């Protein structure tokens, strides 16, 4: 489906008049230390990136989105913008985007990133038709960057000083080029810090324009309480205007940024209505995979009384949870035919869209992973179906089966996995 790229309110001042966006706060962690950041300081009246009143799991965020879109139909863009870094926990971010894309094929998807760990995920973003990416680039000179970033953790080890800033810069440029190469529009944000990079922001614009960025957003420093830069002044409006004028020689400048929160929803510049906050809080308080979205549980069983079939050998699944009763049979559904690899498990997930878990006597790692990505928890157990369903319903521990060490040892398969 062709997406209407003109409807992104951040990339188009005209769209900002009528097109709303929502940020899903699923990114809890970060992999760099910006000296202007303090994500601990949360206030619902405060509007700035990095602040969110709550965190959501990917499935909670879809549950929230469905309810939000029902009451705010002008939502055109779904983005991830923190409160940490989207690619510090890429599994959560990508699953969130995947769920949104599955349910809203014509929605614009957007991600904001510091760029440190973005490049390896650009192909996945392109596959999900993520059309807009924002990378925050505050310096293209490691000497300047070292004064803005306290550290960076590109892998297992933490870098500091110029080594951190250089690594970050190189990875940002790699990610920017990869996005442009994949046809994704890139906006670059630059936080302007007086006395540190205010005279450098134009150089940032020149560099990123050369790599194909389409838009530049110079954001005046917000001296966040508790951050290292808490005592620095915000740049004067006249200085910001001059920087934007000069940087505008290289890239179109964004002048309508709302410095949005990581859980912002609605039109740019509008504060979040209390009813939307209520939806957000309710989603955050629901189970990681909300019951309302997935009320049922599927069981691999020969006769529907015992959990006694391996995931890969079941030719049908018993689905329980009709009308909110965890023990009421909702139906018996055929399993997709064996073979077909990855697609077989995607087809099964589609068959069981109303289920949050599958009880099986055994399962290989690949289907578990694929099904988990689709929101279906595979639970390896044994014994009476009724007992296990009740335990799951009441949030009690499920009796976990002691699993065989090798594939093929617990089922009638060939030992080559559940493909
Ligand atoms: Fe804070 Fe974002 Fe910087 Fe991470 S990248 S330290 S969340 S401002
Ligand atoms: Fe758009 Fe600025 Fe809000 Fe980010 S902070 S979503 S760039 S308006």
């Amino acid at each position: 489906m062709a997406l209407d790229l003109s409807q992104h309110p951040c990339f188009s001042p005209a769209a900002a008049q009528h097109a709303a966006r929502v940020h899903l706060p699923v990114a809890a962690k970060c992999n760099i230390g910006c000296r202007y950041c303090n994500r601990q300081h949360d206030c619902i009246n405060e509007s700035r990136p990095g602040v969110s009143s709550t965190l959501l799991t990917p499935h909670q965020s879809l549950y929230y989105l469905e309810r939000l879109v029902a009451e705010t139909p002008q939502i055109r863009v779904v983005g991830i913008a923190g409160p940490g870094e989207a690619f510090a926990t890429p599994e959560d971010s990508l699953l969130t985007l995947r769920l949104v894309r599955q349910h809203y094929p014509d929605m614009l998807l957007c991600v904001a990133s510091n760029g440190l760990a973005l490049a390896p995920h650009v192909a996945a973003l392109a596959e999900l038709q993520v059309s807009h990416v924002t990378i925050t680039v505050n310096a293209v000179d490691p000497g300047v960057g070292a004064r803005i970033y306290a550290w960076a953790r590109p892998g297992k080890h933490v870098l500091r000083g110029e080594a951190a800033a250089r690594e970050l810069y190189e990875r940002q440029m790699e990610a920017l080029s990869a996005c442009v190469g994949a046809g994704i529009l890139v906006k670059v944000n630059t936080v302007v810090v007086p006395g540190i990079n205010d005279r450098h922001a134009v150089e940032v614009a020149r560099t990123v324009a050369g790599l194909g960025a389409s838009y530049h957003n110079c954001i005046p420093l917000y001296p966040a309480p508790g951050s290292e830069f808490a005592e620095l002044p915000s740049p004067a409006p006249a200085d910001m205007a001059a920087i934007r004028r000069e940087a505008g020689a290289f890239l179109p400048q964004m002048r309508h940024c709302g410095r949005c929160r990581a859980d912002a929803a609605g039109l740019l510049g509008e504060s979040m209505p209390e009813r939307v906050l209520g939806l957000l809080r309710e989603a955050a308080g629901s189970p990681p995979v909300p019951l309302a979205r997935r009320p049922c549980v599927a069981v691999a069983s020969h006769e529907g009384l015992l959990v006694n079939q391996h995931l890969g050998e079941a030719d049908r699944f018993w689905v329980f949870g009709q009308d909110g009763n965890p023990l009421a049979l909702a139906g018996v559904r055929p399993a997709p035919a064996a073979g077909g690899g990855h697609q077989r498990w995607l087809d099964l997930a589609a068959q069981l869209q109303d289920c949050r878990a599958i009880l099986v006597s055994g399962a290989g790692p690949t289907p578990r992973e694929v099904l988990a990505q689709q929101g279906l928890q595979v639970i390896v157990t044994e014994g009476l179906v009724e007992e296990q369903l009740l335990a799951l319903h009441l949030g009690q521990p499920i009796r976990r089966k002691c699993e065989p060490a090798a594939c093929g040892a617990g089922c009638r398969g060939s030992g080559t996995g559940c493909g």
Side-chain angles (χ1 to χ4, degrees):
M1 173 174 302
L3 299 169
D4 183 354
L5 303 189
S6 68
Q7 292 302 300
H8 197 308
C10 306
F11 283 68
S12 158
Q17 304 303 314
H18 59 86
R21 52 74 182 103
V22 56
H23 290 165
L24 300 176
V26 296
K29 298 185 177 163
C30 194
N31 48 12
I32 65 172
C34 302
R35 298 183 199 275
Y36 51 73
C37 178
N38 179 8
R39 291 181 294 129
Q40 307 302 323
H41 188 83
D42 178 21
C43 164
I44 195 61
N45 298 314
E46 190 183 356
S47 193
R48 66 176 168 86
V51 172
S52 172
S53 65
T54 189
L55 282 167
L56 299 177
T57 65
H59 286 277
Q60 286 171 336
S61 67
L62 180 63
Y63 174 64
Y64 165 58
L65 182 64
E66 286 174 335
R67 307 186 73 210
L68 178 68
V69 168
E71 82 128 51
T72 314
Q74 60 274 46
I75 298 277
R76 297 283 173 274
V77 180
V78 174
I80 298 175
E85 157 58 26
F87 298 99
T89 47
E91 317 74 29
D92 286 343
S93 298
L94 291 172
L95 175 54
T96 302
L97 294 167
R98 192 172 298 120
L99 289 170
V100 177
R101 176 54 76 229
Q102 280 168 358
H103 289 77
Y104 298 94
D106 53 357
M107 191 70 86
L108 293 180
L109 296 182
C110 164
V111 188
S113 169
N114 62 37
L116 183 71
L118 166 59
H121 303 291
V122 170
L125 295 181
E127 192 194 319
L128 289 165
Q129 288 185 285
V130 172
S131 50
H132 299 74
V133 164
T134 293
I135 306 176
T136 299
V137 181
N138 297 321
V140 292
D141 173 337
V144 177
R147 299 177 65 194
I148 297 176
Y149 306 109
W151 54 269
R153 194 174 46 239
K156 286 194 176 140
H157 302 292
V158 174
L159 302 175
R160 297 183 191 280
E162 288 199 16
R166 182 172 297 105
E167 185 76 18
L168 177 60
Y169 163 65
E170 286 171 0
R171 285 169 174 248
Q172 286 172 332
M173 298 306 109
E174 183 191 353
L176 167 49
S177 302
C179 286
V180 171
I184 297 172
L185 291 171
V186 178
K187 171 164 68 67
V188 166
N189 283 357
T190 301
V191 178
V192 176
V193 187
I196 295 183
N197 72 342
D198 45 353
R199 292 170 189 278
H200 183 65
V202 177
E203 186 57 21
V204 172
R206 193 185 65 77
T207 306
V208 299
L211 291 176
S214 353
Y215 207 27
H216 190 206
N217 179 17
C218 292
I219 305 175
L221 171 73
Y222 176 97
S227 71
E228 270 191 64
F229 287 173
E231 303 307 324
L232 289 184
S234 258
D239 294 340
M240 288 303 301
I243 290 167
R244 288 185 181 124
R245 221 172 16 251
E246 267 193 76
F250 301 103
L251 274 179
Q253 296 291 302
M254 179 176 188
R255 291 183 165 81
H256 62 292
C257 174
R259 294 210 291 202
C260 311
R261 299 164 53 89
D263 58 4
L267 292 175
L268 293 196
E270 281 187 356
S271 51
M272 270 167 85
E274 193 52 44
R275 61 183 191 287
V276 173
L277 274 169
L279 296 181
L280 185 60
R281 288 194 190 114
E282 195 197 317
S286 67
V289 179
L291 275 182
R293 282 193 36 73
R294 292 176 174 263
C296 296
V297 174
V299 181
S301 169
H302 289 290
E303 69 306 285
L305 296 175
L306 295 167
V307 183
N308 53 14
Q309 274 197 303
H310 194 276
L311 178 69
E313 63 185 1
D315 59 1
R316 60 195 169 151
F317 290 90
W318 302 70
V319 175
F320 295 89
Q322 179 82 5
D323 298 329
N325 177 351
L327 303 182
L329 187 65
V332 180
R333 300 183 197 162
H342 199 84
Q343 188 58 44
R344 177 186 178 191
W345 307 116
L346 292 176
D347 292 345
L348 178 59
Q351 292 258 44
L352 302 177
Q353 273 206 27
D354 53 349
C355 298
R356 61 186 184 282
I358 311 184
L359 305 181
V360 297
S361 66
T366 303
R368 281 194 207 200
E369 195 183 316
V370 176
L371 292 168
Q373 282 177 359
Q374 302 297 315
L376 265 166
Q377 187 189 6
V378 176
I379 300 175
V380 177
T381 182
E382 59 191 354
L384 284 171
V385 168
E386 189 175 308
E387 249 177 43
Q388 310 293 34
L389 289 175
L390 273 179
L392 203 59
H393 181 68
L394 297 172
Q396 294 169 350
I398 292 272
R399 183 179 357 146
R400 302 275 167 172
K401 189 178 171 188
C402 183
E403 294 183 65
C407 175
C411 64
R412 294 199 300 270
S414 59
T416 55
C418 301

